[in-house]
């Protein structure tokens, strides 16, 4: 029997759906606490940073000719560009985009599910990927982990 794996994209969509359903059933708006314009601007800033991080990360994947799909064995340990600041810039971008959507849709629930997404990525997805990286690159990966934070 094939093992069922939740991908980061599936977790993103699942948590977004939960946030949207909660928003519909029990509206809880950020504009109750913050100015409408500030909420929208923050949302656009988070989404823009997320978009930029993704572009920079996928550019490094392409330059290195290594797969970006989760759970695939990489050919190269990327340590340049955004990967010199964070070991998981794509996942960080996912969380940022979720936060951006929370502000754009004016939903505290979506923001909470952004925190849930971060926890799921950190406890389920990242450890599985780190095992693959550790077994593939051994000491090189251990050294990289010492020099580069997981998130920021």
């Amino acid at each position: 029997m094939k093992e069922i794996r939740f991908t980061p994209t599936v977790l993103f969509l699942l948590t977004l759906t939960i946030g949207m359903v909660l928003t519909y059933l029990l509206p809880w708006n950020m504009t109750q606490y913050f100015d409408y314009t500030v909420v929208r601007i923050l949302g656009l800033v988070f989404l823009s940073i997320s978009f930029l991080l993704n572009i920079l990360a996928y550019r490094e994947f392409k330059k290195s000719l290594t797969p970006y799909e989760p759970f695939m064995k990489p050919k190269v340990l990327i340590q340049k560009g955004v990967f010199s600041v964070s070991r998981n810039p794509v996942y960080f971008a996912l969380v940022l985009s979720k936060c951006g959507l929370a502000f754009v849709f004016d939903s505290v629930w979506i923001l909470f599910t952004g925190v849930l997404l971060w926890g799921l990525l950190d406890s389920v997805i990242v450890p599985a990927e780190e095992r693959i990286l550790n077994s593939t690159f051994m000491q090189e990966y251990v050294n990289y982990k010492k020099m580069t934070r997981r998130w920021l």
Side-chain angles (χ1 to χ4, degrees):
M1 184 171 183
K2 188 176 179 179
E3 178 184 350
I4 297 173
R5 279 200 169 147
F6 286 102
T7 66
T9 305
V10 168
L11 291 176
F12 176 87
L13 293 172
L14 181 65
T15 57
L16 180 62
T17 301
I18 291 167
M20 301 279 285
V21 168
L22 285 170
T23 298
Y24 177 76
L25 295 175
L26 303 164
W28 188 11
N29 300 338
M30 289 191 196
T31 50
Q32 291 175 312
Y33 310 102
F34 304 105
D35 180 66
Y36 176 84
T37 305
V38 171
V39 168
R40 292 299 190 260
I41 289 172
L42 278 174
L44 293 174
V45 167
F46 287 152
L47 286 171
S48 298
I49 293 170
S50 169
F51 185 68
L52 179 63
L53 277 174
N54 269 316
I55 288 172
L56 295 173
Y58 284 107
R59 189 179 286 171
E60 290 298 327
F61 282 121
K62 188 174 181 180
K63 275 196 285 188
S64 299
L65 301 173
T66 197
Y68 58 84
E69 293 88 359
F71 313 115
M72 289 190 69
K73 186 174 179 178
K75 297 176 184 173
V76 175
L77 178 61
I78 304 172
Q79 301 178 54
K80 300 178 197 168
V82 291
F83 290 93
S84 67
V85 179
S86 169
R87 296 194 316 259
N88 298 297
V90 174
Y91 299 153
F92 182 64
L94 266 180
V95 172
L96 268 182
S97 65
K98 178 65 86 69
C99 294
L101 290 173
F103 282 93
V104 167
F105 289 126
D106 190 17
S107 170
V108 176
W109 291 117
I110 295 175
L111 188 63
F112 282 162
T113 63
V115 174
L116 175 63
L117 175 64
W118 179 37
L120 289 169
L121 291 171
D122 194 53
S123 63
V124 176
I125 303 293
V126 171
E129 285 191 353
E130 286 189 338
R131 283 190 293 277
I132 294 168
L133 290 167
N134 200 40
S135 68
T136 304
F137 300 108
M138 293 180 259
Q139 190 59 44
E140 183 182 8
Y141 184 65
V142 171
N143 294 339
Y144 173 61
K145 282 179 24 176
K146 288 179 186 175
M147 295 175 30
T148 310
R149 292 179 181 193
R150 179 180 277 181
W151 292 98
L152 257 191

